């Protein structure tokens, strides 16, 4: 048994050295975001506002999205923060852990690095053991940093012990999905399969928790995310659910070790589907190859956007009653509370539904940026894996190949927005009926497609980094994090205006999306949108020029 783990310590040092930049960015980003949201939320919701929020929280929509409310009798700023943020913070930490484990297990095998390591005096289980210990170290650092970051904000109801418990809960959630991912890395025979199964398990955990929170609580107790929420951070700080999560971690880790010890290197228990004997005609061109590489991304994310937007449309009938009692949610949706004080309930409902529709389209646009950036940065990932050199050694233009991925990412931006619109519109129509659907399909398209210039600026930044600064291409994801942060927190009025304006989404007008005659749609500033398109063209042009002239790395 001892021989199975030979040189684990050396591999831990190696993994942590490889992770010193990527994981540091993850940790700093998560800690800074959580530490910034806490005081912003506390300033936005005073004691009276929190009491009102707690009164209207008992709603299937909110419970499904955020989980059950805890500490409603004494709803402090800490209790509110824990209830609203713990779930989403745990999901973000889980995503970080999926990338860490896949990167150092299945990806290592697929790229041949594991074979080199195994040729040295290293135990058969040393690498997976080192990966799990490294994940524990990174999650421990994140937990402590999160706790300290929240404590220094000095928000009411956030004492030192509660802040550290909150950090421990999120760190334990990350370890659970690290262990689950380690199992899928043994089952799948390729990186994309392991990644897909891991994210599917995360989505299943969220869906199971949502179903249990609004129905049978036993389902929530099965879900790791449901257990995390039942730790009741900043309210009771119950350690029992964390003990349950630790049992899950140990069970899945033991299973991953067992599977790793009996399978062949480079193989998985789920065999890879054999490819075709001959390539199709579409693969005989650079564009066809680029499209094939991104085909699954386009299909999967189109379904995600359609279903995600449809989930909002399915609860549209509950929105007016829920939001009308919360001035803070009205503010987030850009509706002044004073506007609703002296108008009939029917008119009030129209205003709220319109604001809700505009808010959903803007938030879904942030999610749609993920696959768009994946497509724009795909060539860089192919270059790092050494596959581009073989292609460019033939009669293939560098700039032409880069423009293929750029064109696909631009088309994807349109596809994602269209999928969002169709999901929101037709789910609302299915719930309310065609004649009572408050949304206008044409207006929804206008509200979504007006975001495209901002998408193209983001694509331009990704192409620029790929062409001129390939080693810094990860900055595109850091900037995306800032765009999301400024868009979400900007509604709370806690960021200076100049900082908000650094995001291209800040220049996108809000378009009314209902058939109500109470509103006049905001005029689209064609000069601003045209300028953004020009900036995108300049960024893409600079990136293409740089890629044509630089060495392959």
């Amino acid at each position: 048994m001892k021989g199975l783990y030979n040189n684990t310590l050396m591999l831990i040092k190696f993994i942590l050295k490889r992770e010193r930049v990527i994981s540091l960015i993850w940790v700093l980003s998560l800690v800074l975001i959580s530490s910034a949201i806490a005081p912003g939320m506390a300033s936005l919701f005073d004691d009276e506002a929190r009491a009102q929020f707690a009164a209207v929280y008992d709603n299937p929509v909110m419970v499904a999205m955020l989980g059950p409310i805890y500490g409603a009798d004494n709803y402090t700023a800490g209790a509110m923060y824990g209830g609203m943020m713990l779930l989403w913070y745990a999901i973000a930490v889980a995503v970080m852990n999926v990338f860490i484990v896949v990167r150092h297990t299945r990806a290592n095998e697929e790229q041949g690095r594991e074979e080199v390591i195994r040729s040295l005096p290293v135990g058969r289980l040393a690498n997976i053991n080192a990966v799990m210990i490294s994940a524990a170290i990174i999650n421990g650092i994140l937990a402590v940093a999160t706790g300290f970051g929240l404590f220094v904000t000095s928000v009411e109801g956030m004492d030192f012990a509660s802040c550290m418990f909150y950090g421990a809960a999120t760190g334990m959630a990350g370890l659970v999905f690290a262990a689950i991912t380690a199992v899928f890395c043994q089952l799948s025979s390729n990186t994309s399969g392991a990644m897909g199964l891991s994210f599917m398990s995360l989505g299943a955990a969220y869906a199971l928790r949502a179903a249990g929170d609004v129905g049978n609580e036993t389902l929530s107790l099965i879900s790791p995310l449901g257990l995390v929420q039942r730790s009741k951070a900043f309210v009771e700080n119950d350690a029992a659910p964390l003990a349950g999560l630790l049992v899950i971690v140990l069970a899945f880790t033991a299973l991953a070790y067992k599977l790793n010890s009996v399978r062949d290197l480079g193989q998985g228990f789920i065999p890879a589907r054999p490819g075709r004997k001959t390539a199709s005609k579409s693969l005989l061109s650079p564009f066809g190859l680029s499209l094939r590489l991104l085909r699954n991304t386009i299909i999967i994310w189109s379904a995600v956007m359609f279903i995600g937007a449809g989930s909002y449309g399915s609860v549209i009938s509950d929105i007016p009653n829920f939001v009308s009692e919360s001035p803070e949610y009205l503010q987030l949706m850009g509706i002044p509370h004073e506007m609703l004080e002296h108008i009939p309930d029917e008119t009030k409902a129209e205003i709220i539904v319109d604001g809700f529709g505009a808010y959903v389209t803007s938030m879904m646009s942030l999610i749609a940026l993920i696959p768009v950036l994946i497509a724009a940065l795909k060539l860089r990932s192919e270059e790092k894996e050494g596959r581009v050199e073989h292609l460019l050694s033939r009669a293939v233009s560098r700039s032409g190949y880069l423009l293929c991925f750029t064109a696909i990412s631009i088309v994807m931006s349109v596809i994602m927005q269209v999928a969002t619109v169709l999901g929101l519109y037709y789910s609302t129509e299915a719930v309310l009926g065609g004649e009572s659907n408050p949304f206008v399909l044409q207006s929804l398209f206008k509200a979504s497609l007006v975001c495209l210039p901002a998408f193209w600026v983001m694509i331009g930044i990704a192409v620029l980094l790929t062409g001129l600064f390939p080693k810094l291409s990860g900055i595109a994801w850091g900037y995306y994090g800032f765009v999301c942060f400024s868009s979400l927190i900007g509604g709370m009025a806690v960021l200076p205006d100049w900082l908000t304006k650094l995001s291209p989404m800040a220049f996108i007008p809000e378009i009314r999306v209902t058939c109500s005659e109470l509103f006049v749609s905001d005029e689209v500033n064609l000069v601003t949108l045209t300028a953004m398109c020009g900036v995108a063209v300049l960024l893409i042009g600079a990136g293409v020029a740089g890629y044509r002239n630089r060495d392959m790395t």
Side-chain angles (χ1 to χ4, degrees), residues 310-318 423-438:
S311 66
Y312 286 104
S314 64
V315 297
I316 194 69
S317 58
D318 296 323
L424 180 60
Y425 181 81
Y426 285 110
S427 63
T428 303
E429 183 165 297
V431 172
L432 301 180
E435 296 182 358
S436 58
N437 192 337

Side-chain angles (χ1 to χ4, degrees), residues 213-383:
D213 287 345
V214 298
N216 186 355
E217 189 176 4
T218 303
L219 297 177
S220 296
L221 297 176
I222 298 174
S223 168
L225 296 177
L227 283 175
V228 169
Q229 286 192 299
R230 275 148 185 79
S231 63
K232 304 175 185 177
F234 300 114
V235 179
E236 296 182 11
N237 296 336
D238 187 359
L242 300 192
L245 291 175
L246 180 59
V247 172
I248 296 174
V249 171
L250 296 176
F252 275 95
T253 301
L255 178 60
Y257 282 26
K258 178 62 177 178
L259 294 176
N260 186 264
S261 67
V262 298
R263 70 174 177 85
D264 292 333
L265 183 65
Q267 300 300 313
F269 288 93
I270 302 175
R273 187 174 54 127
R276 296 174 51 173
K277 293 182 179 180
T278 58
S280 62
K281 292 184 179 180
S282 62
L283 291 178
L284 300 180
S285 68
F287 183 82
L289 176 61
S290 307
L291 186 60
R292 175 64 183 84
L293 292 173
L294 293 168
R295 182 184 64 184
N296 291 340
T297 302
I298 297 173
I299 295 173
I300 293 172
W301 277 97
S302 297
V304 168
M305 298 305 297
F306 183 87
I307 295 172
S311 66
Y312 286 104
S314 64
V315 297
I316 194 69
S317 58
D318 296 323
I319 292 300
N321 292 333
F322 169 67
V323 174
S324 61
E325 302 298 329
S326 176
E328 292 73 28
Y329 270 95
L330 292 171
Q331 179 181 342
L332 287 176
M333 292 193 304
I335 303 174
H337 183 255
E338 299 77 13
M339 180 190 298
L340 305 181
E341 291 182 350
H342 306 292
I343 59 177
D345 290 342
E346 182 178 351
T347 304
K348 184 187 300 185
E350 292 180 13
I351 295 174
I352 292 174
V353 170
D354 183 87
F356 175 75
Y359 182 74
V360 168
T361 54
S362 63
M363 291 302 101
M364 293 299 294
S365 294
L366 296 177
I367 299 176
L369 272 171
I370 297 176
V372 171
L373 282 179
I374 289 175
L377 293 169
K378 181 64 175 177
L379 181 58
R380 172 56 186 156
S381 65
E382 291 290 299
E383 181 182 346

Side-chain angles (χ1 to χ4, degrees), residues 415-428:
I415 294 174
M416 296 302 119
Q417 294 298 79
V418 170
T420 299
V421 168
L422 296 179
L424 180 60
Y425 181 81
Y426 285 110
S427 63
T428 303

Side-chain angles (χ1 to χ4, degrees), residues 478-536:
Y479 184 62
Y480 166 74
F482 166 76
V483 170
C484 292
F485 178 70
S486 62
S487 299
L488 294 172
I489 305 303
M492 298 183 181
V494 297
L495 293 180
D497 186 64
W498 66 267
L499 187 60
T500 305
K501 293 296 184 183
L502 293 179
S503 166
M505 297 299 291
F507 300 94
I508 302 302
E510 291 185 6
I511 306 298
R512 301 302 178 183
V513 295
T514 69
C515 57
S516 173
E517 298 180 357
L518 298 170
F519 305 106
V520 177
S521 295
D522 294 343
E523 291 295 330
V524 177
N525 191 331
L526 294 178
V527 176
T528 300
L529 297 184
T530 302
M532 293 175 68
C533 293
V535 170

Side-chain angles (χ1 to χ4, degrees), residues 65-137:
M65 290 178 60
L66 301 175
I69 186 172
Y70 298 110
D73 296 336
N74 182 26
Y75 208 45
T76 63
M80 185 176 191
Y81 179 85
M84 295 185 67
M85 291 300 300
L86 179 57
L87 174 64
W88 301 108
Y89 197 74
I91 290 175
V93 175
V95 171
M96 178 189 75
N97 280 272
V98 170
F99 285 124
I100 290 174
V101 175
V102 172
R103 184 160 51 243
H104 295 286
T105 53
R106 177 51 62 182
N108 263 2
E109 293 188 37
E110 196 169 64
Q111 295 159 12
R113 287 194 288 263
E114 181 68 13
E115 188 173 1
V116 176
I117 293 174
R118 289 278 189 94
S119 67
L120 301 171
V122 172
R124 184 179 182 88
L125 296 178
N127 186 67
I128 190 170
N129 191 41
V131 170
M132 294 306 299
I133 295 175
S134 300
I137 294 173

Side-chain angles (χ1 to χ4, degrees), residues 106 186-190 193 197 266-274:
R106 177 51 62 182
Q186 313 311 313
L187 297 179
S188 177
S189 57
N190 54 63
L197 290 172
Q267 300 300 313
F269 288 93
I270 302 175
R273 187 174 54 127

